[in-house]
Amino acid sequence: MKKTMKKAMSSLTAKLAALLFAFTCAGTAWGALSGTGTSADPFTIATLADLQEFRDNVNAGTDYSGQYVKLTADIDLSSVADWTPIGNGVRAGRDTSFYSGYAFKGTFDGNGKTISNLTITTHKGTGAKSGAGLFGLVAGGTVKNFTLSNVNISLGGSGNDGGIAAVVGVLAANGNVEGVTVSSGSIAGTEATAGIVGRIMALGSIVGCTNNAAISAADKNVGGIAGAAYYSSLDAEMLIKDCKNTASVTSNTSAVGGIVGLCAGKVVDCTNTGAVTGGDAAIGGIVGEQDNNGSISGCVNSGDVVNNASGEGTGGIVGWIRYY
């Protein structure tokens, strides 16, 4: 009897060890995504189901911090009538974190692939300041190297001041977006609306990105690349570099720019060719309103800049520089 029990316990121990090993190899991410999450063996996304599983993991609390996720095939989202963003937390406070709730914190490598037919028509985050985009909230993570085609985001009205964009709604805690192109479509939002990132909070960068989707908004802080890049300090600057906008950027209010609407970061070597139209103060071909910190250098605008109101500040490069 003792030998039988000992044998059974030994078998159970072996099974538990095998399960623990399998979980450990899978990193901190649950689910059936292939890979172990290392740079040499990233979690791979090859289908819409894989992308949705990855999204659901993040929105349930798996942040992929220190881990790698790689897109290995083009993904068509046309069967998804209203996409729920990856990362459902909200912007909050004015420190270097600037968010609460669940965010993506790893590295997402689009591997040169295309995600097509992204549609968002309702806010899906956990609060009024949630982000809307393919990614809702990226905090300290990196999103890079892919194309979004035929984007359709329609979040008009008012009541959300998180951030609205095709790629990332809210970028926080030194997150990065690199080498991403929005090739076509339209994005209609409220405050902090743009093609690439709706809002950068204090730290973060957008490098080598292009937007070709028409941007319109019912509120302030609207840009072709970033809507608002704000709350920085001298030792915590934001960078927007080597980016290009070719599409129209339109709002009836203030802080509207071909590259950035409201900015306190560095804007370097960016180009705008799209028409920029605003209806209040601070309308600019590159930056609508530059505040507090940062600089604009090496930038070129050839798009028309129109202010439909009598507000202060309308310019081919910058509409208004304030406070310093």
Side-chain angles (χ1 to χ4, degrees):
M1 180 68 176
K2 290 183 178 180
K3 289 183 178 180
T4 301
M5 289 179 66
K6 185 176 182 180
K7 184 176 181 180
M9 290 297 293
S10 178
S11 176
L12 178 60
T13 300
K15 289 180 180 178
L16 288 172
L19 286 171
L20 179 61
F21 176 78
F23 173 72
T24 301
C25 287
T28 59
W30 294 88
L33 295 179
S34 298
T36 59
T38 66
S39 59
D41 184 31
F43 296 116
T44 57
I45 295 175
T47 66
L48 172 57
D50 289 343
L51 185 63
Q52 290 171 317
E53 179 184 330
F54 164 62
R55 184 267 318 279
D56 293 345
N57 289 344
V58 174
N59 291 352
T62 300
D63 60 25
Y64 292 86
S65 180
Q67 296 183 312
Y68 296 80
V69 180
K70 188 174 186 177
L71 195 60
T72 60
D74 296 338
I75 305 291
D76 185 357
L77 300 179
S78 59
S79 63
V80 182
D82 192 4
W83 174 256
T84 298
I86 302 162
N88 58 9
V90 299
R91 78 175 185 95
R94 294 190 176 187
D95 56 23
T96 56
S97 294
F98 289 102
Y99 69 91
S100 62
Y102 298 135
F104 176 67
K105 299 181 181 181
T107 297
F108 179 91
D109 183 0
N111 190 33
K113 305 303 182 184
T114 297
I115 298 173
S116 56
N117 301 306
L118 171 69
T119 298
I120 302 175
T121 59
T122 57
H123 288 290
K124 297 292 187 67
T126 56
K129 295 183 179 182
S130 59
L134 179 68
F135 287 80
L137 176 60
V138 174
T142 295
V143 174
K144 63 181 183 178
N145 299 340
F146 62 94
T147 296
L148 284 172
S149 68
N150 194 30
V151 170
N152 177 23
I153 298 177
S154 182
L155 294 169
S158 61
N160 183 290
D161 62 349
I164 299 166
V167 185
V168 177
V170 178
L171 187 65
N174 208 21
N176 303 284
V177 180
E178 306 169 7
V180 180
T181 294
V182 179
S183 65
S184 59
S186 62
I187 300 165
T190 52
E191 183 181 347
T193 298
I196 304 298
V197 174
R199 189 185 299 268
I200 308 175
M201 303 299 295
L203 287 162
S205 66
I206 307 172
V207 177
C209 294
T210 298
N211 174 62
N212 301 313
I215 310 297
S216 61
D219 210 333
K220 61 187 178 180
N221 304 341
V222 185
I225 299 299
Y230 204 48
Y231 299 137
S232 71
S233 60
L234 291 175
D235 60 347
E237 291 184 332
M238 295 162 285
L239 175 67
I240 299 169
K241 183 178 181 181
D242 294 329
C243 291
K244 182 178 182 179
N245 175 66
T246 69
S248 60
V249 180
T250 305
S251 174
N252 291 325
T253 60
S254 62
V256 184
I259 299 298
V260 192
L262 176 66
C263 186
K266 292 181 178 179
V267 183
V268 181
D269 297 337
C270 292
T271 301
N272 175 63
T273 61
V276 179
T277 304
D280 203 337
I283 315 300
I286 298 297
V287 173
E289 180 178 324
Q290 184 79 21
D291 281 357
N292 296 327
N293 302 304
S295 61
I296 304 168
S297 62
C299 295
V300 176
N301 171 59
S302 61
D304 293 338
V305 179
V306 177
N307 190 340
N308 288 326
S310 58
E312 300 92 341
T314 303
I317 297 297
V318 59
W320 200 358
I321 299 176
R322 298 179 64 192
Y323 300 130
Y324 287 146

